[in-house]
Amino acid sequence: MKRNAILRSAVMTVMLIAALAMKAGNMQYLSITVEGKQVVFSLADHPVITYANNTLLVKTPTEEVEIPVAKISGYEFTEEPSAIRDLKLTKPAIGGGLVVFSALQPGSAVTVAAADGHLLQTVSANADGTAIVDLSGQAKGVYVVSTKGGSIKVINK
């Protein structure tokens, strides 16, 4: 019971700090450390953080992530995304099961991995720097799409 009260208090503190950081305008990312890996959320996406059943739920317009509280070892607010510094990822167009990148180096690789890290496919950018990743044949779920410049999470609905 005492542990749940402490966890609720910690979640409320995170939400309050996030709101203050966004208002101050100097913090742009929330990074949550989960089993040694960073899960990064842009504050510009206005993440909504809730807590239920010992699970932290973070929702943005493009993703929904459930994180068991027992697996969280820390969090921080940063001006740059933690563990993805110097991110030079061209924001792709996403829709209809497709993720379309432009302005990539011709021939550069775009990889798709399942949420568990299992590599599913690799696509190469064509001569004009465009790479099209087709997730329409994949199961519904979260996928990590990566280029040399960084990675994004995509929810296939």
Side-chain angles (χ1 to χ4, degrees), residues 18-64:
L20 293 172
M22 285 177 57
K23 191 170 190 171
N26 58 341
M27 297 299 166
Q28 298 175 10
Y29 298 93
L30 165 62
S31 298
I32 301 173
T33 306
V34 182
E35 295 182 325
K37 297 181 182 178
Q38 296 290 320
V39 180
V40 182
F41 301 94
S42 171
L43 295 181
D45 289 338
H46 303 285
V48 176
I49 303 168
T50 56
Y51 170 78
N53 301 320
N54 290 324
T55 301
L56 195 66
L57 177 63
V58 183
K59 288 185 183 181
T60 70
T62 58
E63 65 183 330
E64 184 174 310

Side-chain angles (χ1 to χ4, degrees), residues 34-112:
V34 182
E35 295 182 325
K37 297 181 182 178
Q38 296 290 320
V39 180
V40 182
F41 301 94
S42 171
L43 295 181
D45 289 338
H46 303 285
V48 176
I49 303 168
T50 56
Y51 170 78
N53 301 320
N54 290 324
T55 301
L56 195 66
L57 177 63
V58 183
K59 288 185 183 181
T60 70
T62 58
E63 65 183 330
E64 184 174 310
V65 179
E66 291 185 15
I67 306 169
V69 172
K71 294 183 177 187
I72 297 173
S73 60
Y75 69 90
E76 66 180 336
F77 294 93
T78 61
E79 292 186 41
E80 294 181 22
S82 209
I84 311 178
R85 300 203 189 278
D86 300 322
L87 184 67
K88 295 181 178 97
L89 181 65
T90 303
K91 190 169 185 172
I94 302 172
L98 300 177
V99 181
V100 181
F101 290 89
S102 59
L104 297 173
Q105 290 285 2
S108 62
V110 177
T111 60
V112 179

Side-chain angles (χ1 to χ4, degrees), residues 114-130:
D116 66 1
H118 178 78
L119 183 64
L120 298 174
Q121 64 177 298
T122 301
V123 176
S124 294
N126 62 21
D128 71 358
T130 301

